[in-house]
Amino acid sequence: MNVFLLTMTVLLTASVVGLLLMILGLAREIGRVQVRLGPLGARMMDTGPKIEQVGPTFHGLTDHVGRTVSVAGHRDRPQLLLFTAPGCSTCKSLLPGMKAMARGEGDVDIVMISDGTPAEHAEFLAGAGIGDELSYIDGRDVGIAYQVGTTPFGVMLDEHGKIKAKGLCNHMAQVESLLNALESGTPSLQHLHTQAAHKRGVA
């Protein structure tokens, strides 16, 4: 009996060790694939207004310092919309980068559009340290119009209110990819891959 238990213990231990080695190998291969792919930019969603369409326009919105803000429409400069929420931890992690971007990008207007109760907005702003370098507005209707289902979500508009890029922005590199899309005219590498796949399917 003792020999049987010892044999089973050895076999079980060997199986667990083998499984751990397989998991480590899989993790390594996943890392290699991510390195080969490189950054894809903001991940686009299929819902809401499409790329190159004019985004829904809103006028007469008031930001956190009392300024009147318009979303989309014809304007002097492009506009970056970042949809956020008071309880979104990822959104909070983007704040330092967004404030630095607002100070450095003098030719792009940055608007943070949030959804929540007045108390939630007040609590968020108290700890956010947002000055007048960018605008923060309570814009539930704006989020609905752009069909934003999750945050943080960015939309890049040109000076005519046309959507040039959009997608989930979990880190600043993805936010910056929206600005790059405005300059290059290409929404993202992901968009190029999707177009290529579509062409192959048609062919």
Side-chain angles (χ1 to χ4, degrees):
M1 187 68 177
N2 290 336
V3 174
F4 175 76
L5 289 176
L6 179 61
T7 302
M8 294 303 295
T9 301
V10 170
L11 290 175
L12 180 60
T13 302
S15 298
V16 171
V17 171
L19 182 60
L20 287 174
L21 291 175
M22 289 176 61
I23 293 174
L24 290 174
L26 180 60
R28 183 180 179 184
E29 288 304 313
I30 291 175
R32 286 180 175 177
V33 170
Q34 289 178 336
V35 170
R36 290 193 194 104
L37 288 176
L40 294 181
R43 297 184 179 181
M44 290 188 294
M45 310 293 283
D46 291 333
T47 59
K50 306 299 182 184
I51 301 296
E52 295 300 330
Q53 288 184 350
V54 175
T57 303
F58 293 82
H59 297 293
L61 303 173
T62 304
D63 73 0
H64 64 296
V65 293
R67 293 173 298 197
T68 300
V69 178
S70 295
V71 170
H74 290 280
R75 53 195 308 108
D76 295 333
R77 301 186 296 186
Q79 190 176 52
L80 173 61
L81 311 179
L82 184 69
F83 292 89
T84 180
C88 171
S89 59
T90 304
C91 303
K92 292 178 181 178
S93 71
L94 293 177
L95 277 176
M98 292 303 300
K99 289 187 284 188
M101 178 180 287
R103 289 190 294 267
E105 295 289 340
D107 54 349
V108 176
D109 292 327
I110 299 177
V111 182
M112 295 183 66
I113 302 172
S114 188
D115 178 20
T117 66
E120 288 174 331
H121 291 309
E123 181 180 357
F124 175 82
L125 289 169
I130 300 176
D132 58 0
E133 63 268 25
L134 53 79
S135 290
Y136 177 94
I137 63 174
D138 179 1
R140 175 179 172 81
D141 292 340
V142 182
I144 291 174
Y146 281 85
Q147 296 186 33
V148 175
T150 186
T151 57
F153 189 90
V155 177
M156 188 73 241
L157 304 170
D158 68 10
E159 62 271 23
H160 306 295
K162 187 179 294 185
I163 299 173
K164 305 305 291 185
K166 64 176 183 174
L168 293 173
C169 297
N170 292 318
H171 47 78
M172 283 305 299
Q174 291 178 320
V175 177
E176 290 166 358
S177 75
L178 299 178
L179 294 174
N180 294 335
L182 177 68
E183 297 174 357
S184 66
T186 301
S188 70
L189 292 178
Q190 178 193 358
H191 183 69
L192 289 177
H193 296 327
T194 302
Q195 282 186 327
H198 178 71
K199 289 179 179 178
R200 287 195 297 269
V202 171

